[in-house]
Amino acid sequence: MWNFISPRIVFGEGALDVLDELQGQRALIITDKTMAQIGLVDKVKGHFKKAGIEVHVFDEVEPDPSVQTVQRGAEVARHVKPDWIVGLGGGSPIDAAKAVWVLYERPDIEPAAIAPVGELGLRKKARLITIATTSGTGAEVTWGIVLTDTEEKRKMGLGHPENIADIAIVDPEMAAGMPPRLTADTGLDALVHAVEGYTCSWHTDLTDGLCLQAARLVFKYLPRAVSDGQDTEARERMHNAATCAGLGFGNAMASMAHAMGHSLGGAFHVPHGRAVALFLPYTIEFFAPQAPERFAELAAFVGFPNAGDEKAARALAHQIRDLCRKVGNPISVAEAGIERKAYENQLDKLVDDALNDTQMVTAVRTPSLEETRQLFLYAYDGRPVDF
Amino acid sequence: MAIKFPSDEWVKEFASQINGSKAYEESGRDWEGDWIFVVETDDAYPKTVYFFIGLYHGKVTDASMIESEHARDAQYFMRGSFTTWRKTIEGKLDPIQGLMMRKFKLKGNLTKVLRYPRSAKELVNCVKRVPTEFTS
């Protein structure tokens, strides 16, 4: 027995118009300063105005939002009393919006205790709309929330199925202005979701197709979206790919590349998509000797030659590194600009945080402490995994 | 030889598997907290059974079948039907998924439990290594 959970998804050109018909009194947009600066907040406000809904804005969400930030956002929500909470942005503002919504409805809960157990009893005060402005996180269609514990420099995987959005808006125009670097980082995040959603131990028949299609779209359209931001077809297909991958992994799980990426991101503030994509090939190589079949299937679906399961899994890792190169992303931690000494100083913490990340439970081969340490070291140097 | 579940012998073998696991020792090295597992009666088993498992810094301190959930002090309680436990022991149900689908109910400091997903996974690996025969 398992669930497939999804918001109503309004997608394609003009999807934002769905806001014009909303019923309600007040909306609180949770976003970041950039969204305001580039005019996307005003654009969304205009639609709410057409619906006759008063709009308030909390634009203090930082990359890798902290517990303190969402507590401040919840305080604003308690003051404004919105009946719509709107997460506008990439993964950080959308995750923050989910957390703000939970804390607004359930002030008795600590952020770190937002867990997928029991009942939350949401939707008594407000409902949630998510509007994706990047093409990668899939946060608009997942219930997962990643918050950062700034004291321990650790990312926490939180969330409850109830905090899924009521409406997810996937309008390619909202992502059209992304610069190439952000396009690459977030697009690779979508690929990692697709690959891990397809290959983790919690995958299901209902998620497999979404992950396969998302992977195929990313391999085909990400290089185009990065090299020419005006390529509207590539932009739209990447926006759809991110949502497909979000639905796929969100109803299965991510896995070890996410665990390692969260760990690195928590310690060194490497952008999420860049971090998880960097680790993905190493984790595939680690899984390949024991559980190569699903990687080989995915590689075949995308159109890579299949020379037997383990070789195909390793070839997939190679293709992912190629794609990273093509879009200008690092394929080793050293290339990501992290000093070896600083990295080695943090190694025990990196290993410990990765092993205790919630995404680690779905790994199809469980690494020991020493193997995890080796994986981090191999990834630093860019050495293909051979153990 | 397979050991009957539920029984005192079974939980002691489970404890022995945990104490032989380097992976659990590593992942649970900071853990302090005792558990009571409640195997609730259902169509497949006629009575509710209670197990106490004391866990401290990566090792089992004590494990036994007990008379009721009040027979020992514990900080954490996990309850599920006999069939749910059986599926978990047979590796057909991930206990984390079981918790999410409310097949298992957990009482205790959830925030603390969530910080030890690897320990949870290793406990499942240990339980799967117990040669188990299911009575009904």
Side-chain angles (χ1 to χ4, degrees):
Chain A
M1 175 177 159
W2 194 228
N3 281 325
F4 187 95
I5 299 172
S6 171
R8 171 190 171 195
I9 303 168
V10 185
F11 66 102
E13 198 182 324
L16 210 57
D17 294 347
V18 71
L19 297 175
D20 302 355
E21 309 295 329
L22 282 184
Q23 302 289 315
Q25 303 294 316
R26 278 176 300 281
L28 174 62
I29 298 175
I30 309 292
T31 190
D32 59 33
K33 302 269 188 244
T34 307
M35 293 297 113
Q37 284 161 8
I38 63 176
L40 292 182
V41 171
D42 283 343
K43 196 179 179 76
V44 171
K45 272 181 162 175
H47 285 276
F48 274 110
K49 195 174 173 188
K50 282 186 194 167
I53 294 174
E54 181 185 313
V55 180
H56 298 258
V57 178
F58 176 78
D59 63 1
E60 295 174 25
V61 181
E62 72 277 45
D64 303 331
S66 67
V67 167
Q68 293 82 357
T69 297
V70 299
Q71 284 171 325
R72 281 205 311 279
E75 208 41 58
V76 172
R78 283 191 274 276
H79 177 70
V80 168
K81 296 185 172 52
D83 39 29
W84 287 103
I85 302 247
V86 182
L88 171 67
S92 295
I94 290 177
D95 279 6
K98 293 173 194 168
V100 166
W101 180 34
V102 174
L103 302 181
Y104 167 50
E105 299 241 4
R106 290 288 307 272
D108 56 311
I109 291 182
E110 286 295 316
I114 304 173
V117 178
E119 277 186 36
L120 279 180
L122 300 184
R123 297 181 170 79
K124 291 190 173 64
K125 296 178 181 172
R127 285 182 287 164
L128 178 70
I129 297 171
T130 50
I131 306 172
T133 65
T134 62
S135 305
T137 72
E140 67 278 8
V141 291
T142 66
W143 52 261
I145 300 169
V146 179
L147 296 181
T148 297
D149 180 334
T150 48
E151 282 176 15
E152 292 192 23
K153 293 187 176 176
R154 183 177 71 93
K155 290 195 175 188
M156 300 183 291
L158 308 168
H160 187 291
E162 276 185 49
N163 65 239
I164 192 88
D166 292 275
I167 304 171
I169 299 175
V170 185
D171 187 330
E173 202 186 319
M174 298 299 283
M178 275 195 298
R181 185 83 338 265
L182 186 60
T183 304
D185 284 339
T186 54
L188 287 170
D189 189 20
L191 179 66
V192 183
H193 293 156
V195 173
E196 294 205 305
Y198 188 75
T199 56
C200 77
S201 63
W202 288 14
H203 75 86
T204 70
D205 289 344
L206 274 69
T207 55
D208 282 353
L210 289 158
C211 293
L212 287 172
Q213 178 65 359
R216 180 143 70 184
L217 288 171
V218 174
F219 272 107
K220 183 167 181 185
Y221 290 103
L222 182 60
R224 278 173 53 179
V226 172
S227 67
D228 177 8
Q230 304 306 308
D231 183 337
T232 53
E233 186 196 9
R235 284 286 196 209
E236 179 161 7
R237 303 304 289 276
M238 276 306 301
H239 218 38
N240 292 344
T243 299
C244 286
L247 281 173
F249 97 95
N251 285 287
M253 191 61 146
S255 192
M256 204 160 87
H258 266 77
M260 296 178 74
H262 285 160
S263 180
L264 185 76
F268 292 100
H269 294 289
V270 178
H272 172 77
R274 196 177 304 171
V276 296
L278 188 162
F279 286 117
L280 181 64
Y282 301 95
T283 64
I284 293 174
E285 287 163 349
F286 177 70
F287 294 142
Q290 286 186 18
E293 300 84 4
R294 306 268 310 166
F295 297 99
E297 281 173 19
L298 189 145
F301 182 83
V302 174
F304 302 137
N306 189 342
D309 284 353
E310 186 174 344
K311 277 188 182 167
R314 289 186 183 281
L316 178 65
H318 181 74
Q319 294 284 355
I320 291 166
R321 288 194 180 100
D322 262 7
L323 180 65
C324 287
R325 283 256 183 262
K326 220 179 274 182
V327 299
N329 270 52
I331 61 168
S332 70
V333 178
E335 282 183 12
I338 294 168
E339 294 290 334
R340 178 180 286 275
K341 195 165 179 212
Y343 188 71
E344 286 176 351
N345 285 343
Q346 292 284 322
L347 197 53
D348 288 345
K349 179 174 164 47
L350 290 169
V351 170
D352 198 49
D353 286 352
L355 284 172
N356 284 303
D357 190 286
T358 49
Q359 317 292 317
M360 193 60 105
V361 297
T362 62
V364 289
R365 177 184 171 194
T366 307
S368 67
L369 195 135
E370 183 51 32
E371 285 169 334
T372 310
R373 192 179 178 82
Q374 288 302 315
L375 280 165
F376 273 108
L377 291 171
Y378 273 59
Y380 187 88
D381 294 330
R383 276 181 289 161
V385 174
D386 54 6
F387 57 89
Chain B
M1 191 178 131
I3 302 167
K4 283 188 178 169
F5 175 90
S7 66
D8 190 61
E9 189 188 4
W10 183 89
V11 74
K12 286 188 164 51
E13 176 57 27
F14 178 34
S16 166
Q17 291 292 339
I18 297 169
N19 282 339
S21 164
K22 186 167 171 15
Y24 181 75
E25 189 177 8
E26 280 174 6
S27 61
R29 65 183 184 273
D30 299 326
W31 177 266
E32 295 176 6
D34 299 336
W35 287 80
I36 288 178
F37 293 153
V38 183
V39 183
E40 293 177 326
T41 178
D42 65 4
D43 290 345
Y45 196 74
K47 66 171 192 171
T48 297
V49 173
Y50 307 89
F51 291 120
F52 172 86
I53 299 187
L55 291 169
Y56 186 82
H57 291 194
K59 291 289 180 192
V60 178
T61 53
D62 187 13
S64 61
M65 199 157 141
I66 54 177
E67 285 301 308
S68 78
E69 60 191 292
H70 308 294
R72 296 284 298 264
D73 288 334
Q75 294 74 50
Y76 300 91
F77 294 78
M78 188 159 161
R79 26 188 352 122
S81 70
F82 174 86
T83 303
T84 299
W85 282 103
R86 177 174 180 159
K87 284 181 181 169
T88 304
I89 293 164
E90 289 175 334
K92 293 175 182 166
L93 175 68
D94 184 313
I96 297 171
Q97 288 183 303
L99 278 167
M100 290 168 71
M101 298 309 296
R102 302 179 196 180
K103 294 285 181 190
F104 282 118
K105 292 191 181 74
L106 183 72
K107 197 171 93 183
N109 183 344
L110 182 62
T111 311
K112 184 176 168 187
V113 175
L114 289 172
R115 293 201 60 175
Y116 290 84
R118 185 177 169 231
S119 295
K121 190 171 180 178
E122 291 308 330
L123 288 175
V124 174
N125 290 338
C126 290
V127 88
K128 285 195 283 193
R129 287 198 288 268
V130 178
T132 303
E133 175 191 335
F134 292 94
T135 54
S136 56

